[in-house]
Amino acid sequence: MKSGARYKWNRRHFLKASLLLGLGTTFLQACKRKANHILLKLTGTNHILGHRLWLPDFPPVSEKIEIPVLILGGGIAGLSAAYQFHEKGFQDFLLLEMEDEVGGNSKSGSNSYSKHPQGAHYLPIPNASNKEIYQFLEKSKIVKGWTATGEPIFDEEQLSFDPMHRLFIDNYWQNGIVPEYGLDEEELAEMERFHGLMKDFTEMKGRDGKYVFDIPTLFASNDHDLEDLDSISMEKWLLDQGFKTKPVFSYVNYCCRDDFGTGVKHTSAFAGIHYFSSRKHDYLGNEEAVLTWQEGNGRLVSLLKKYAEGKIKNNCLAYKIEWDENKVQVQVYDIKTNKSTLYITNQLINCCPQFVNKYLITSRKTLSDKFAYAPWLIATITLKSFPAASGAPLSWDNVIHDGKGLGYIFDQHQSLAQYKAPYVISYYHSLDAQDLRKERKKLLDFSEEQWRDFIIEDLSKAHYGIEEEILDMRIHRLGHGMISPVPGFMMSEARKEMAKPIADRIYFAHSDLSGLSLFEEAFYRGYLTAKEILTKYY
């Protein structure tokens, strides 16, 4: 963890902050007028097509196709299942994806200046226990080899370059994202105590000898006494532990929103602690080290996709699943041809999220409604230049303390030409509230101009005048951006029940069954499901 300078308020600092506040007010009044020059584009997942599942009016089936194994959904879970099949030499499968491209929440895009993520944008160094992921990383040349002591040798160009993180706090950019700059002795002591407690949880094991907090959750202990942590919010747990200073709550709120979409008020304490305690940092000795690329986890998508070459059909929306003791029948609408096809398969790997499955398998609707999903917005912004700022230099991850959003990623950070203008950044915002359905409606109902003004206002807290530097802004909306482990969900019967296969023919493998929207969770859900099918039937 990097340290920042301690900071005390005096009359000069107060007057400076007051001046900035006044300038900010003037800016906001003129924001809409000045921002009219910005080229805007609003995109997102095909929610209009997905909403056709509510009142299905698809054409009657005009074709039948038989395939031994069918995979629904081309996110990381579906692609990982295909990867396992390929590795074992099994080719009798097909993967269907609703969107134009596979990738799910890990898709990416590009403009004239840079590739950029449209969702997940990094992979923390996996735990040593994630041997199958390391095998994949080695095949993908991300891991170049192993040391004599068994440590992975990463391709340095795929590890995040320095400087990695900075935080805008008290009108100053500090190194690192743990608040330190401007904190008094009590605030610093509470921050240190919090991290000490998280370290204790990191090392905690259940009666079965497994870690209580681990990634993937499939590897974690099922025999421990911490279930009650899931019944309260992370905020309640912090209060119960005697924390009272604002920086601790703000920092933990940011971390929860970053991984779950929901902040301290609406995230299970068990999940909140999992964020800080599940990564064991077995390798590199650097807690901040991550693997990242200009296109974010779109790089991992492209690497997995090649193992399913010739096995993927895009623009295919499954709208009904039926089964008997012999076969599974899946009715699928082809968006391009406007035709419906009946797929008949021996085993189905369903990698769709549960908010989709409740329309495909109506008997599971009640349990599916127990799953909560936070809506997300990601804006790709092209800048002529960055406004001047005090403190730490432009980093890969740039967070605004107590900002409305979650800050931004500098997309060209991994490029050798990273400081060549124009610059491209990806701004992230999760819509967190008690009623996530209401926030989802807000995400979709807000106009391009409303979201543009919201984003500019937030970024202007750290970059006054940034609106004059913006060339274009592409706003990408994810209505069901990620599973949100609200209090009571991680230990719920609904989560456990929905993970069970049906009739030994329909298997479920989406990361929402873990309660955590993480690459590792999706990878293992797909990989291990495919492995189980091969072991049983082929």
Side-chain angles (χ1 to χ4, degrees):
M1 182 184 311
K2 299 178 181 177
S3 61
R6 296 185 182 179
Y7 184 67
K8 299 291 183 182
W9 279 94
N10 57 32
R11 184 173 181 274
R12 177 173 61 83
H13 296 133
F14 175 78
L15 291 174
K16 178 182 176 183
S18 299
L19 175 61
L20 288 172
L21 180 60
L23 289 173
T25 302
T26 302
F27 159 75
L28 292 176
Q29 293 172 347
C31 176
K32 182 174 290 188
R33 183 177 67 255
K34 290 183 178 180
N36 285 336
H37 73 280
I38 299 172
L39 296 175
L40 287 173
K41 184 177 182 181
L42 197 63
T43 63
T45 53
N46 197 339
H47 66 277
I48 295 175
L49 175 64
H51 288 175
R52 286 188 64 175
L53 292 171
W54 297 357
L55 295 170
D57 58 347
F58 302 103
V61 169
S62 59
E63 182 183 14
K64 293 183 180 180
I65 296 176
E66 293 197 30
I67 187 79
V69 178
L70 185 67
I71 302 171
L72 288 186
I76 296 299
L79 293 173
S80 297
Y83 163 68
Q84 167 68 348
F85 285 145
H86 179 277
E87 289 301 281
K88 297 300 181 182
F90 181 78
Q91 297 295 319
D92 292 331
F93 71 92
L94 187 66
L95 188 155
L96 305 181
E97 164 60 36
M98 182 186 79
E99 299 284 347
D100 291 333
E101 295 289 341
V102 295
N105 289 349
S106 294
K107 286 196 295 188
S108 62
S110 64
N111 60 21
S112 300
Y113 311 106
S114 178
K115 297 176 182 178
H116 55 79
Q118 290 182 331
H121 53 276
Y122 67 100
L123 174 62
I125 302 303
N127 292 343
S129 60
N130 295 174
K131 299 184 186 303
E132 293 80 5
I133 290 181
Y134 277 104
Q135 289 169 2
F136 163 67
L137 295 178
E138 190 170 11
K139 290 177 184 294
S140 303
K141 310 300 182 185
I142 296 173
V143 170
K144 299 171 66 176
W146 298 82
T147 67
T149 57
E151 298 246 340
I153 302 170
F154 291 97
D155 178 359
E156 292 187 1
E157 292 187 8
Q158 302 188 63
L159 286 169
S160 179
F161 299 161
D162 286 330
M164 290 179 58
H165 306 285
R166 66 174 180 168
L167 175 70
F168 187 77
I169 182 170
D170 288 342
N171 299 312
Y172 184 83
W173 285 104
Q174 69 152 65
N175 287 312
I177 60 171
V178 179
E180 294 183 352
Y181 188 82
L183 272 61
D184 60 30
E185 296 295 335
E186 181 184 12
E187 292 167 336
L188 288 169
E190 281 213 341
M191 196 68 69
E192 185 176 353
R193 181 165 74 89
F194 173 78
H195 284 289
L197 290 173
M198 294 304 104
K199 184 177 181 181
D200 292 340
F201 281 120
T202 300
E203 298 168 356
M204 191 174 295
K205 293 186 177 182
R207 285 177 287 270
D208 52 8
K210 298 179 180 179
Y211 287 115
V212 175
F213 300 98
D214 204 355
I215 296 178
T217 55
L218 292 168
F219 290 3
S221 172
N222 290 313
D223 189 8
H224 57 80
D225 297 321
L226 298 183
E227 291 90 347
D228 288 348
L229 288 174
D230 189 49
S231 65
I232 62 173
S233 70
M234 191 62 184
E235 181 182 64
K236 177 68 165 55
W237 182 84
L238 288 170
L239 292 169
D240 288 348
Q241 301 305 308
F243 289 101
K244 56 184 178 181
T245 60
K246 183 180 178 182
V248 168
F249 285 84
S250 296
Y251 170 63
V252 178
N253 184 62
Y254 163 80
C255 292
C256 287
R257 287 183 64 199
D258 186 49
D259 250 28
F260 313 128
T262 47
V264 291
K265 292 181 180 296
H266 308 123
T267 297
S268 150
F270 189 92
I273 293 169
H274 183 280
Y275 174 95
F276 297 97
S277 305
S278 56
R279 300 197 181 278
K280 307 309 176 184
H281 308 296
D282 309 280
Y283 299 133
L284 295 187
N286 181 358
E287 294 185 7
E288 294 186 337
V290 301
L291 294 161
T292 189
W293 309 268
Q294 286 182 263
E295 67 271 40
N297 285 15
R299 175 69 64 88
L300 298 173
V301 170
S302 65
L303 292 169
L304 283 170
K305 180 182 175 181
K306 68 182 183 180
Y307 294 102
E309 187 175 352
K311 302 291 184 180
I312 297 173
K313 291 190 67 173
N314 295 105
N315 303 118
C316 290
L317 173 67
Y319 60 88
K320 190 173 184 179
I321 297 174
E322 297 178 307
W323 65 93
D324 57 31
E325 60 184 18
N326 297 313
K327 298 285 183 180
V328 180
Q329 298 186 23
V330 185
Q331 294 182 40
V332 176
Y333 174 63
D334 189 312
I335 302 162
K336 296 296 186 183
T337 63
N338 193 33
K339 294 181 179 179
S340 290
T341 299
L342 179 65
Y343 286 87
I344 302 171
T345 185
N346 298 327
Q347 278 80 37
L348 173 68
I349 302 181
N350 185 325
C351 301
C352 301
Q354 309 318 310
F355 66 83
V356 171
N357 283 334
K358 68 181 181 181
Y359 298 106
L360 307 185
I361 306 172
T362 54
S363 62
R364 295 167 76 89
K365 185 179 189 306
T366 300
L367 290 177
S368 296
D369 287 339
K370 304 294 184 183
F371 287 64
Y373 301 84
W376 278 74
L377 175 146
I378 301 104
T380 304
I381 304 170
T382 305
L383 301 166
K384 289 182 288 185
S385 65
F386 274 98
S390 299
L394 178 63
S395 302
W396 168 66
D397 187 15
N398 307 268
V399 179
I400 300 172
H401 186 63
D402 279 340
K404 291 183 178 179
L406 295 166
Y408 61 90
I409 298 297
F410 176 34
D411 294 324
Q412 291 143 305
H413 190 72
Q414 294 299 107
S415 169
L416 297 179
Q418 60 180 216
Y419 296 115
K420 182 180 179 181
Y423 302 105
V424 182
I425 65 174
S426 290
Y427 168 90
Y428 285 80
H429 172 52
S430 68
L431 284 70
D432 169 34
Q434 182 70 37
D435 188 346
L436 292 176
R437 293 182 181 180
K438 184 177 179 180
E439 294 301 300
R440 189 171 300 114
K441 187 175 187 302
K442 173 184 172 182
L443 173 75
L444 300 176
D445 287 351
F446 262 35
S447 67
E448 293 176 339
E449 291 75 18
Q450 284 175 298
W451 280 125
R452 174 200 64 193
D453 294 344
F454 176 95
I455 293 165
I456 291 175
E457 177 186 344
D458 197 27
L459 288 174
S460 296
K461 295 171 185 175
H463 297 294
Y464 178 72
I466 194 171
E467 83 283 4
E468 296 181 353
E469 302 297 333
I470 298 176
L471 294 173
D472 65 64
M473 183 183 298
R474 301 182 185 184
I475 302 170
H476 188 71
R477 300 169 300 174
L478 296 171
H480 296 80
M482 60 169 56
I483 185 67
S484 297
V486 297
F489 179 70
M490 293 297 289
M491 302 298 164
S492 68
E493 288 302 316
R495 187 175 77 88
K496 297 173 186 175
E497 191 64 29
M498 294 291 275
K500 296 178 181 178
I502 297 176
D504 282 333
R505 293 199 177 277
I506 304 175
Y507 294 81
F508 299 91
H510 195 275
S511 63
D512 60 4
L513 298 171
S514 297
L516 309 166
S517 185
L518 303 175
F519 173 86
E520 299 97 324
E521 298 293 343
F523 180 93
Y524 274 104
R525 289 281 173 182
Y527 183 96
L528 294 178
T529 299
K531 182 177 181 180
E532 181 179 354
I533 287 174
L534 289 177
T535 301
K536 283 185 176 180
Y537 304 107
Y538 299 98

